[in-house]
Amino acid sequence: MAGQNCRVTVVLLGGLLLLAVLLMRGAEASEIALPQGSNITILIKRGTSAPPAKPCFIIVSKRHMTVLFIKAGEKMVFTFSCQDPQNHFVMEIQKNIDCMSGPCPFGEVQLQPATSTLPTLNRTFIWDVKAHKRIGLELQFSLPRLRQIGPGESCADGVTHSISGRIDATVVRIGIFCSNGTVSRIKMQEGVKMALHLPWFHPRNVSGFSIANRSSIKRLCIIESVFEGEGSATLMSANYPEGFPEDELMTWQFVVPAHLRASVTFLTFNVSNCEKKEERVEYYIPGSTTNPEVFKLEDKQPGNMAGNFNLSLQGCDQDAQNPGILRLQFQVLVQHPQNESNKTYIVDLSQERTMSITIEPRPVKQSRRFVPGCFVCLESRTCSDNVTLTPGSKHKISFLCDDLTRLWLNAEKTISCTDHRYCHRKSYQLQVPSDLLQLPVQLHDFSWKLLVPKDRLSLVLVPKQKLQQHTHEKVCNTSFSYLVATHLATPGQELYYGSFCPGPGGSIEQIQVKQNSSVTLRTFAPGFQQEFYKQGLTVSFTPHFKEDGIFTVTPDTKNKVYLRTPNWERGLPALSSLSWNISVPHDQVACLTFFKERIGVVCQTGWALMIIQEQRSQPEEIFNLEEVMLPKPSFHYHNFWVNISNCSPVSGKQLDLLFWVTLTPKTLDLTAIIITVVAGGALLLLALGLIICFVKRKKKKNKGPAVGIYNGNANTQVPRQLKKFHKGRKDNDSHVYAVIDDTMVYGHLLQDSNGSFLQPEVDTYRPFQGPTGDCPPSPPPICSRTPTAKLTTEELPPCISPESESEPYTFSHPNKVEVGNGDTDIPLLDTQEPVKPAE
């Protein structure tokens, strides 16, 4: 271990010494001598970096200069005024080669002058070769070959090759290249300009290419790309990302081993505005009977090709006023053929009108090593990594992929109702077609878009098995789930109801949604094929309702049911309203518990309210979620509603609510038993007393007819003054009756002039006797307020009625009684004269 550390130290010291030598060399005098007639010039100038705090100059014969130009046949001795000239100056060495006035110096190109004789500056060697229009020049690159890079990319070692061509007096950039690629040759006509950029620290002393003479190629250029094994190459049209020259032709030749397969994918492209001809790409594939095969740029490009092939880009005559831009960036992927390459699958969508299928790569992390591509091929030739199968047709597909788990399938189907009279109460089954599961790729999403007439119909979703809502407290562990969402009236807002999965602990029997919605079946594992039978939803069109969503919940007796408001991550949308209709079996008691004591929502306008109401004419409980703490755990013996209505919340203070329901069996209370026994005994005694009274009355009736004697001389008024009675009670017979019969002998005093009995004025409220469990409690009106007023427990919001119409009350209105000034006694009966009863 110590020896290894010692070697690392030596290497570091050696690197520091080399750097010091190079820095010292920058301050030493440099001598450059260019041979006469070499057509070489050298330009030393300031770089493009920001000007340094301390300026640096070129010193020639004690003169300080910022630019130094050396021509052929000249000798120059110079130094720099700083120790790090490589940070301030760059050097360009250009050699002009004229192949029109004399023979071209074909063969390997040398670096002149040698890099060892040049100062330690970033240097660029430029070869500008001029040739006749009918002469083709070929740049041949020895190993390592070149790799084209796009705008903004750079080479790892800092060595770049910039290659340009010429059309008359116009320079056309072919591209910028790094080392370690597949480009082996570039052929051009009418001259070439090659620039090799070397960083000041790079020890390279060879150009790495040679120039050869070729016949006319009758096009802008030809780029040859050689594959020796599996790999990929990204290539671009000339002048990329600017426009391809008008009405020009450019060709790429690909050399591919016979045992490998090649596929072409267009990454980005643009087309120009053509006046004449048409922009296109042409393929020449050996063995093809339709050469050249012509494609538009927007078409799916060929794949699964064996052997060498050519690809050409053809421009057009562009509109002079609005030419547009033609450009192309594409990738060629070469890999071994796969087992799936020879299998064909048929996807029949001929009977479908609104269903489409997309097969595409699943997202993966990028890797620097070569990764074979995954392609889907239509009719075995047109291949792409992303294929959409349209409705109304039958499709034949095959796969060119080493690992089919890297692909997945997404499908979409639209179910719409345009006439509410036709589709009212109509239902549809939401099920994944079994044919899709025969494909060798995993189903990721199957989405149904459900469209209804606005303010006419709503939707009801009924699952084949009861659903469980996915929460952090109780996650779904199935291989698939349903994602339910709807678009709100506010543009850009979506109400995401949540993720639901079927299972033994499910409790949600029905989900009602107000307007256009989407239901997405999403799979999480290949095991979906084994659980395929569990999937199934029925959607029905129902009359429109005002709430955004209603959940029908029947809690499981063995499991805790977790429920939460939609848009959990972002908060319930403004002014939305949700209800949960929770059923309680007759032999169970439901305990409702909230996760937090406070919500934390802050309202800008309106009220954030929660209503809890049992469905047995119990008074509703209203809670202001902005101010009032959530209720403690409460017990409910009957079905009940939980309704949430949101306000317009302040940004960052959203409404989200999590609660759960548990069921426990009812137990007999000892106090209730005692009360029941006592009440039963009292009823028994009362029954015995009534029987005894009834027997005694029968006996009296058997003795003779009952006679009631009325004393008409008696004063029937309550005595007001003692002096009006001249005899005491014991001296008169006004209190003597023979028998008081069942019929009240004073009944005539309660009769009016028509003979009917007077009744007290009574106003009685009759409660609603119809069903109370079908509709959720209507939330109080949401009123705008600025600023927000605080709602207390003693005070109701201004637009909430102080009394609910469902509360039973009885109002009795007694008759007014006039009382005299000196009379403080209240008469027992009206003071009208008695009327003799009719016989």
Side-chain angles (χ1 to χ4, degrees):
M1 188 70 179
Q4 183 178 359
N5 291 335
C6 183
R7 287 193 297 270
V8 171
T9 304
V10 170
V11 171
L12 291 175
L13 289 175
L16 291 175
L17 288 174
L18 177 61
L19 181 60
V21 169
L22 291 175
L23 291 176
M24 290 178 63
R25 183 181 170 187
E28 294 178 352
S30 299
E31 180 179 327
I32 297 178
L34 298 179
Q36 187 73 31
S38 61
N39 292 330
I40 298 176
T41 59
I42 294 179
L43 175 64
I44 301 176
K45 60 181 180 178
R46 288 193 183 274
T48 57
S49 58
K54 184 178 179 181
C56 184
F57 298 96
I58 307 170
I59 303 175
V60 179
S61 301
K62 297 183 180 181
R63 289 184 302 167
H64 288 66
M65 308 169 62
T66 58
V67 177
L68 178 61
F69 186 72
I70 308 173
K71 299 179 181 178
E74 293 183 347
K75 179 179 180 181
M76 195 71 64
V77 178
F78 59 91
T79 60
F80 296 96
S81 63
C82 57
Q83 297 292 331
D84 55 347
Q86 70 277 359
N87 295 331
H88 306 276
F89 294 95
V90 296
M91 176 184 294
E92 291 182 357
I93 305 101
Q94 179 167 333
K95 183 174 183 178
N96 297 321
I97 303 175
D98 188 0
C99 296
M100 300 179 69
S101 58
C104 279
F106 298 119
E108 186 176 355
V109 176
Q110 303 295 327
L111 292 183
Q112 295 175 337
T115 55
S116 58
T117 63
L118 300 176
T120 56
L121 302 177
N122 292 334
R123 59 199 74 127
T124 302
F125 291 88
I126 302 172
W127 295 270
D128 190 356
V129 183
K130 294 181 180 179
H132 198 273
K133 289 184 178 182
R134 292 187 296 273
I135 296 178
L137 298 175
E138 179 181 281
L139 303 180
Q140 297 179 351
F141 301 95
S142 58
L143 295 175
R145 299 186 178 102
L146 302 185
R147 174 177 60 90
Q148 189 171 6
I149 61 174
E153 296 183 78
S154 60
C155 302
D157 57 359
V159 178
T160 60
H161 304 73
S162 180
I163 304 173
S164 301
R166 187 177 284 110
I167 301 177
D168 296 329
T170 304
V171 176
V172 180
R173 186 177 67 254
I174 304 302
I176 300 176
F177 301 83
C178 301
S179 301
N180 298 324
T182 61
V183 176
S184 60
R185 293 188 297 176
I186 297 179
K187 304 174 187 179
M188 280 174 287
Q189 194 163 301
E190 199 181 343
V192 61
K193 188 174 183 179
M194 169 74 182
L196 172 64
H197 173 76
L198 297 175
W200 64 271
F201 55 82
H202 203 283
R204 181 167 174 169
N205 55 11
V206 294
S207 66
F209 73 96
S210 60
I211 301 177
N213 184 19
R214 289 292 181 264
S215 60
S216 174
I217 59 175
K218 298 180 181 179
R219 63 199 67 201
L220 174 64
C221 69
I222 299 174
I223 298 177
E224 182 183 75
S225 181
V226 178
F227 291 87
E228 296 181 350
E230 288 189 320
S232 65
T234 300
L235 297 163
M236 285 147 271
S237 58
N239 277 347
Y240 189 88
E242 283 78 30
F244 187 70
E246 181 179 9
D247 196 23
E248 281 293 334
L249 178 64
M250 181 177 181
T251 299
W252 292 267
Q253 294 178 340
F254 297 97
V255 179
V256 181
H259 66 282
L260 300 178
R261 299 292 183 268
S263 300
V264 177
T265 303
F266 284 4
L267 303 178
T268 59
F269 66 88
N270 290 84
V271 294
S272 58
N273 298 318
C274 297
E275 280 189 344
K276 296 180 181 179
K277 303 181 184 179
E278 185 178 8
E279 296 169 342
R280 63 191 185 275
V281 289
E282 298 179 354
Y283 290 87
Y284 181 84
I285 304 172
S288 174
T289 58
T290 58
N291 283 325
E293 297 187 15
V294 180
F295 292 81
K296 294 182 179 180
L297 275 72
E298 57 267 23
D299 292 339
K300 298 294 183 183
Q301 302 304 309
N304 201 19
M305 294 178 287
N308 304 337
F309 68 97
N310 294 352
L311 167 61
S312 298
L313 174 63
Q314 175 66 63
C316 66
D317 291 333
Q318 299 174 350
D319 184 356
Q321 301 297 326
N322 184 21
I325 293 179
L326 171 62
R327 58 186 172 191
L328 172 64
Q329 182 185 37
F330 65 97
Q331 182 186 62
V332 176
L333 187 64
V334 175
Q335 60 190 23
H336 288 285
Q338 307 301 320
N339 294 332
E340 292 291 336
S341 301
N342 298 324
K343 293 182 181 179
T344 301
Y345 299 88
I346 297 177
V347 180
D348 188 1
L349 301 180
S350 57
Q351 302 302 317
E352 296 288 344
R353 293 295 177 264
T354 61
M355 178 177 167
S356 61
I357 298 173
T358 300
I359 303 175
E360 59 189 355
R362 66 171 68 211
V364 293
K365 294 183 179 180
Q366 296 294 331
S367 175
R368 292 191 176 185
R369 66 180 181 87
F370 169 73
V371 178
C374 276
F375 294 99
V376 186
C377 302
L378 296 175
E379 303 294 339
S380 301
R381 175 53 60 85
T382 305
C383 301
S384 175
D385 60 350
N386 188 318
V387 171
T388 298
L389 308 180
T390 56
S393 302
K394 184 181 292 187
H395 306 273
K396 294 181 180 180
I397 63 174
S398 59
F399 297 91
L400 179 62
C401 184
D402 65 326
D403 183 8
L404 287 174
T405 60
R406 294 167 53 195
L407 295 173
W408 62 20
L409 182 149
N410 294 292
E412 183 179 285
K413 184 173 183 176
T414 300
I415 299 176
S416 62
C417 170
T418 56
D419 188 351
H420 68 280
R421 296 168 298 180
Y422 168 73
C423 50
H424 177 57
R425 300 295 183 186
K426 197 167 185 178
S427 61
Y428 296 89
Q429 296 296 324
L430 306 185
Q431 283 189 322
V432 176
S434 58
D435 293 346
L436 294 186
L437 302 182
Q438 307 302 319
L439 297 176
V441 294
Q442 179 188 345
L443 172 67
H444 176 234
D445 278 355
F446 196 109
S447 297
W448 293 270
K449 286 188 175 181
L450 310 175
L451 307 179
V452 294
K454 185 178 180 181
D455 299 332
R456 288 285 191 171
L457 294 177
S458 295
L459 298 164
V460 179
L461 302 173
V462 180
K464 184 177 180 180
Q465 297 185 14
K466 289 195 293 186
L467 301 177
Q468 167 200 329
Q469 187 170 12
H470 175 84
T471 63
H472 294 297
E473 292 73 20
K474 188 174 183 181
V475 299
C476 287
N477 56 7
T478 56
S479 62
F480 71 97
S481 65
Y482 291 103
L483 284 70
V484 183
T486 185
H487 293 282
L488 300 179
T490 305
Q493 275 200 343
E494 187 179 53
L495 185 62
Y496 173 64
Y497 292 94
S499 177
F500 307 90
C501 59
S507 60
I508 299 176
E509 292 185 335
Q510 181 177 279
I511 302 175
Q512 297 172 257
V513 291
K514 177 181 179 181
Q515 51 195 347
N516 292 346
S517 301
S518 65
V519 178
T520 301
L521 184 147
R522 175 165 296 174
T523 65
F524 301 99
F528 171 68
Q529 294 191 358
Q530 284 71 41
E531 295 185 347
F532 174 77
Y533 68 94
K534 294 183 180 180
Q535 60 104 16
L537 275 176
T538 301
V539 58
S540 303
F541 298 97
T542 189
H544 180 74
F545 51 83
K546 293 184 177 180
E547 287 199 275
D548 292 294
I550 302 174
F551 298 86
T552 301
V553 183
T554 302
D556 187 77
T557 57
K558 299 179 181 179
N559 297 285
K560 186 183 294 186
V561 177
Y562 288 91
L563 301 167
R564 70 182 186 187
T565 52
N567 281 23
W568 179 254
E569 301 296 336
R570 304 184 301 275
L572 197 64
L575 306 180
S576 56
S577 177
L578 278 298
S579 289
W580 289 262
N581 182 4
I582 302 174
S583 300
V584 182
H586 68 280
D587 59 343
Q588 301 284 322
V589 178
C591 179
L592 175 64
T593 307
F594 294 92
F595 177 70
K596 296 186 292 189
E597 292 184 350
R598 289 185 181 275
I599 295 298
V601 63
V602 177
C603 293
Q604 186 174 2
T605 58
W607 303 95
L609 301 175
M610 178 176 68
I611 301 175
I612 301 177
Q613 182 181 25
E614 282 202 14
Q615 300 175 18
R616 282 292 185 91
S617 69
Q618 295 292 329
E620 60 188 16
E621 300 178 82
I622 302 178
F623 301 90
N624 181 0
L625 300 179
E626 186 180 9
E627 296 295 333
V628 180
M629 294 179 61
L630 291 176
K632 300 294 182 182
S634 57
F635 294 93
H636 300 271
Y637 295 85
H638 306 288
N639 301 347
F640 63 97
W641 288 98
V642 176
N643 174 270
I644 304 294
S645 299
N646 197 14
C647 59
S648 292
V650 176
S651 178
K653 299 292 184 179
Q654 303 296 330
L655 192 158
D656 47 47
L657 185 65
L658 172 67
F659 59 96
W660 58 86
V661 179
T662 54
L663 293 180
T664 55
K666 287 183 180 179
T667 56
L668 294 178
D669 190 4
L670 182 60
T671 304
I673 295 175
I674 294 175
I675 293 174
T676 304
V677 172
V678 172
L683 290 174
L684 180 60
L685 292 176
L686 179 61
L688 291 175
L690 291 175
I691 293 173
I692 293 173
C693 292
F694 180 76
V695 171
K696 288 185 177 182
R697 279 182 57 185
K698 286 293 182 180
K699 289 182 180 180
K700 288 183 179 180
K701 286 185 177 182
N702 293 335
K703 291 180 181 180
V707 179
I709 301 173
Y710 174 72
N711 189 350
N713 297 323
N715 188 358
T716 60
Q717 296 184 359
V718 176
R720 297 182 182 178
Q721 296 179 358
L722 294 178
K723 63 182 181 178
K724 289 188 177 182
F725 278 84
H726 302 285
K727 295 193 294 182
R729 187 175 179 83
K730 64 180 180 177
D731 299 326
N732 62 64
D733 298 328
S734 62
H735 62 287
V736 178
Y737 295 90
V739 175
I740 301 299
D741 197 30
D742 292 342
T743 304
M744 179 177 172
V745 295
Y746 291 115
H748 64 282
L749 299 178
L750 298 177
Q751 292 179 340
D752 58 9
S753 60
N754 296 326
S756 59
F757 287 94
L758 297 174
Q759 298 291 340
E761 297 181 25
V762 177
D763 186 3
T764 304
Y765 176 81
R766 297 182 179 180
F768 176 66
Q769 301 298 323
T772 60
D774 295 337
C775 299
S778 298
I782 298 177
C783 298
S784 177
R785 55 173 185 172
T786 306
T788 301
K790 305 301 180 183
L791 184 67
T792 62
T793 54
E794 296 82 16
E795 171 181 294
L796 291 175
C799 57
I800 298 178
S801 175
E803 296 170 354
S804 174
E805 293 181 358
S806 63
E807 297 180 4
Y809 291 99
T810 301
F811 301 92
S812 179
H813 306 280
N815 294 333
K816 296 182 181 180
V817 179
E818 296 181 359
V819 182
N821 295 333
D823 189 358
T824 59
D825 297 324
I826 300 176
L828 296 178
L829 299 172
D830 291 341
T831 57
Q832 64 182 4
E833 291 293 329
V835 179
K836 185 176 181 179
E839 295 182 359

